[in-house]
Amino acid sequence: MAYDVMYTANASVTGEGRKGHGRTDDGRLDVELSVPKGVGGDDGPGTNPEQLFAVGYAACFHGALKAVARKDKTDVGASTVDSHVSLGKSEEGLDIAVELEVTIPGVDQAKAEELVQAAHQMCPYSRATRGNIEVKLTVKAG
């Protein structure tokens, strides 16, 4: 697939991978990494890849939602995206699954679901994960 690169994020991790240190080349993200107890770690003070992925996916999806809403001339200014990234065992090894809970006050349920489906088609994270991991969408309007 050919595309014009608009931006590239660069990061390095040192130490023991999940129990190490991560930093972007511009220094904007500089984090200690810890392994959660649920996957055999010590639940140290650092973040973990699943948390970073959850924030990234939620931010990207929310941006896509705002874009489709602008095109549709629908106000979603008070919307939120809560992301839940789960790590679990499968026959192939460790896998992740995602649930996105999208809340859009001020619109009816049908419109909210329409906007969320359109955002799911547009969002680069959704497109990258489609067919690879389970992604569940929960839509709350009101």
Side-chain angles (χ1 to χ4, degrees):
M1 170 179 15
Y3 61 95
D4 294 325
V5 174
M6 296 170 55
Y7 172 75
T8 299
N10 301 296
S12 295
V13 172
T14 57
E16 298 180 35
R18 287 180 160 271
K19 187 176 181 180
H21 186 89
R23 185 178 190 284
T24 57
D25 64 343
D26 61 7
R28 291 180 184 182
L29 182 66
D30 193 336
V31 295
E32 291 300 320
L33 301 168
S34 297
V35 181
K37 276 190 179 170
V39 291
D42 64 0
D43 214 20
T47 189
N48 60 66
E50 292 71 37
Q51 290 174 324
L52 295 169
F53 186 71
V55 169
Y57 200 158
C60 187
F61 196 92
H62 204 201
L65 177 65
K66 297 276 186 159
V68 298
R70 273 192 303 276
K71 188 174 181 181
D72 190 67
K73 296 181 177 26
T74 302
D75 180 11
V76 296
S79 60
T80 59
V81 177
D82 295 311
S83 178
H84 310 279
V85 174
S86 301
L87 181 67
K89 291 181 184 178
S90 71
E91 291 180 10
E92 292 81 27
L94 294 177
D95 286 313
I96 61 172
V98 174
E99 180 178 359
L100 299 176
E101 292 181 19
V102 185
T103 304
I104 309 174
V107 299
D108 65 35
Q109 187 69 26
K111 175 55 79 173
E113 290 177 9
E114 175 187 322
L115 293 170
V116 167
Q117 284 305 315
H120 194 43
Q121 295 306 308
M122 174 188 274
C123 174
Y125 275 59
S126 291
R127 291 196 334 267
T129 59
R130 189 167 290 121
N132 296 313
I133 65 170
E134 179 184 338
V135 177
K136 178 183 176 188
L137 301 173
T138 303
V139 182
K140 300 175 186 175

